[in-house]
């Protein structure tokens, strides 16, 4: 008797852990974007969550079009790309219109991007309504696989995990192999000298900001497979995303990865053991405690400066 | 090559460079000598665009640069080796050099760079921050060279480097000048080094030039007086 219940318990725990994987994946995509923007230009983008929502709404719009055309089976991968482009272009414009005028003024950028987030939320409300929307998803993403007795692992979780893995690998590759990545790493170490050796640092800023927002857009598209989207969906995720970035150490991609995993898993498993808000409080307290011991985050670069 | 006219520059309210005039000729090595705090670094920073120019003109091959951003000045043919090297510490040696390459280069470090600085080839996978001071100096010069400058600006390249290496640095710089057909503007406090490399020298004091002479006419004693406190 007690054996079956403990088996059931572990099966549920495993499934809950898998729910944590989906959360981890979305957090990871969000945190990557936020971290590369912060690393490049020291800007904390309070509107990052709304760029995620832009990605979700883009997916929603495409799903409506796709169902009219009967393309429901194939539209989803394209919506990922579209979400990236739409959020990226929006980010590019925001950088040109607002952000670049506020460099070296961290408090002003914080306030300004917070304002942008409110404006965007209101635009979502006017265009899509206050009710949450969900894109119609293709059948293949809605199923589940059963690797063992009583264990149900949803395909959407696997899909989102694979996506986050691919995107992370792509960003890492760009960061360490591309000209853009080299210029980002140089500029974030010494902006003035980077300019003096010939790097157009403002161009790098624009591209980086657009890319970071584009990544939030992809996170938003992925997000539609695990929850529905409302005008304030983005703002619900922004705090967790900040937590991931700070906890992982803003300068380290491995740190971001590890901390997204820890926080995603901790939240999801704790939510199973206690109420949702208690789980959040416990995660927050733990992270703050660890940060008191390691103020620079989990991972930092080891080099003489 | 490089023509500077009535250049004024400084920080905030205080002006440090008070109307300097000078020209650097084709393939010429011109040295600016002066004691600590006389404005050498400020002059170099205003030439490359890190410190804003208040008034005056900086022309490179007839192109006006004084209002341009740093990276544009580099594209027009200026290159800068800052005092204290200021390489990128967490980037590898090779990556440090590649930051100076333009988009058309395809990201490959040209062979002549490692020909001039074989040490950098041996250490190309190491992080820049883990090199010795002398090696970092070579790295900073290599990073500046790969942008194919017509004028190289070197701010106190001998600072903190031991005498035997200073001699070698002088030889290397002359070799670079001959190999790459470029002009060099160098700031310096070590007279022996200046006499080794410079075709001409200027002495700066409180933002004004107070002395000029060709190498062959240099009166070492009088220069030494300017440099002693
Ligand atoms: N960032 C700054 N803000 C304000 N004043 C500065 C700044 N940097 C330098 N100065 C001042 O400008 C003057 C010239 O300094 P500069 O660094 O150009 O001298 P230098 O000739 O390069 O000296 P050194 O041989 O020590 O490198 C000094 O009086 C210095 O105090
Ligand atoms: Mg100086």
């Amino acid at each position: 008797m007690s054996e079956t219940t403990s088996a059931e318990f572990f099966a549920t725990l495993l499934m809950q852990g898998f729910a944590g994987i989906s959360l981890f994946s979305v957090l990871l995509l969000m945190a990557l974007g936020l971290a590369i923007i912060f690393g490049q230009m020291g800007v904390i983008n309070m509107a990052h969550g709304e760029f995620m929502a832009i990605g979700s709404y883009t997916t929603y719009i495409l799903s409506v079009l796709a169902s009219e055309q009967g393309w429901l089976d194939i539209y989803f991968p394209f919506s990922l790309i579209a979400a990236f482009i739409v959020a990226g272009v929006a980010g590019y414009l925001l950088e040109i219109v607002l952000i670049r005028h506020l460099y070296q003024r961290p408090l002003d950028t914080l306030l300004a991007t917070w304002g942008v987030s409110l404006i965007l939320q209101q635009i979502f409300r006017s265009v899509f309504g206050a009710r949450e929307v969900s894109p119609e998803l293709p059948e293949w993403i809605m199923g589940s696989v059963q690797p063992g007795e009583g264990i149900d692992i949803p395909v959407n979780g696997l899909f989102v995990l694979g996506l986050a893995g691919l995107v992370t690998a792509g960003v890492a590759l760009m960061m360490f192999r591309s000209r853009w990545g080299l210029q980002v790493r140089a500029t974030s170490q010494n902006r003035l000298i980077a300019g003096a050796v010939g790097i157009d640092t403002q161009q790098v800023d624009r591209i980086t900001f657009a890319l970071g927002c584009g990544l939030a857009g992809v996170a938003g598209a992925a997000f539609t497979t695990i929850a529905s989207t409302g005008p304030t969906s983005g703002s619900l995720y922004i705090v967790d995303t900040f937590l991931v970035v700070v906890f992982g150490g803003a300068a380290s991609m491995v740190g971001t990865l590890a901390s997204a995993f820890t926080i995603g898993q901790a939240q999801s498993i704790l939510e199973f053991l206690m109420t949702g808000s208690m789980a959040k409080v416990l995660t927050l307290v733990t992270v703050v405690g660890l940060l008191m011991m390691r103020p620079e985050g989990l991972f930092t670069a080891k080099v003489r400066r | 090559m490089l023509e500077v006219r009535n250049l004024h520059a400084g920080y905030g309210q205080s002006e440090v460079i008070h109307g300097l005039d000078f020209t650097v000729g084709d393939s010429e090595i011109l040295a600016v000598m002066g004691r600590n705090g006389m404005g050498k670094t400020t002059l170099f920073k205003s030439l490359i665009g890190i410190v804003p120019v208040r008034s005056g003109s900086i022309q490179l091959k007839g192109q006006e640069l004084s209002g341009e951003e740093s990276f544009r000045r580099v594209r027009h043919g200026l290159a800068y080796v800052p005092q204290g090297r200021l390489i990128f510490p967490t980037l590898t040696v090779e990556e440090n050099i590649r930051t100076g390459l333009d988009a058309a280069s395809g990201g490959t470090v040209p062979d002549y760079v490692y020909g001039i600085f074989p040490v950098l080839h041996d250490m190309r996978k190491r992080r820049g921050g883990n090199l010795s001071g002398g090696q970092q100096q070579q790295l900073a010069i290599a990073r500046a060279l790969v942008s194919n400058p017509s004028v190289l600006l070197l701010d106190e390249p001998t600072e903190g480097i031991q005498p035997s290496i200073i001699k070698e640095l002088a030889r290397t710089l002359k070799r670079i000048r001959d190999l790459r057909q470029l002009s060099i503007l160098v700031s310096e406090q070590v007279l022996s080094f200046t006499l080794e490399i410079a075709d001409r020298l200027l002495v700066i004091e409180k933002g004004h030039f107070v002395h000029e002479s060709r190498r062959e006419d240099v009166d070492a004693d009088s220069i030494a007086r300017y440099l002693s406190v």
Side-chain angles (χ1 to χ4, degrees), chain A residues 176-179 182-183 185-187 189-202 301-305, chain B residues 48 50 69-71 74-75 80 82 86 88-91 95 98-103 127 129-132 136 143:
Chain A
F176 292 101
R177 288 284 174 271
S178 78
R179 184 176 161 77
L182 181 67
Q183 296 189 329
R185 287 179 294 141
T187 309
Q189 278 181 49
N190 192 332
R191 175 170 288 265
L192 283 178
I193 293 299
V197 301
I199 296 173
D200 183 350
T201 53
Q202 294 191 16
K302 288 181 199 67
V303 75
R304 295 192 310 200
R305 281 184 188 267
Chain B
I48 197 64
I50 294 179
E69 286 181 65
S70 299
F71 77 94
V74 174
R75 288 186 193 169
Y80 175 54
L86 303 183
F88 303 112
T90 65
L91 267 52
E95 287 173 336
R98 279 173 38 215
T99 57
L101 287 170
D102 64 14
R127 292 201 177 191
N130 296 336
L131 265 53
S132 77
Q136 290 189 3
R143 176 180 70 179

Side-chain angles (χ1 to χ4, degrees), chain A residues 234-259:
Chain A
S235 59
L236 296 179
Y237 270 72
I238 192 71
V239 173
D240 284 349
T241 307
F242 280 140
L243 220 58
V244 167
V245 172
V246 175
F247 186 45
S252 161
M253 279 189 67
V254 181
T256 305
L257 202 93
S259 100

Side-chain angles (χ1 to χ4, degrees), chain B residues 75-90:
Chain B
R75 288 186 193 169
H76 283 298
L78 278 187
Y80 175 54
V81 180
Q83 181 172 9
R85 296 63 139 152
L86 303 183
I87 50 124
F88 303 112
T90 65

Side-chain angles (χ1 to χ4, degrees), chain B residues 11 14 16 34-43 83 156 189:
Chain B
Y11 310 90
S14 68
V16 175
R35 283 180 279 128
N36 294 123
M38 288 303 160
K40 302 182 295 295
T41 298
T42 310
L43 167 64
Q83 181 172 9
E156 286 204 46
Q189 299 198 49

Side-chain angles (χ1 to χ4, degrees), chain A residues 152-224:
Chain A
D152 251 331
I153 292 181
V155 174
N156 62 5
L158 289 172
F159 179 82
V160 173
L161 178 64
L163 176 72
L166 269 178
V167 171
T168 307
V171 171
L173 208 67
M174 282 177 68
M175 196 54 106
F176 292 101
R177 288 284 174 271
S178 78
R179 184 176 161 77
W180 164 80
L182 181 67
Q183 296 189 329
V184 166
R185 287 179 294 141
T187 309
S188 57
Q189 278 181 49
N190 192 332
R191 175 170 288 265
L192 283 178
I193 293 299
V197 301
I199 296 173
D200 183 350
T201 53
Q202 294 191 16
Q203 169 81 11
V204 179
D205 288 344
R206 285 192 290 276
I207 296 174
T208 306
F209 199 83
L211 185 71
C213 292
L215 288 174
V218 174
F223 176 74
T224 60

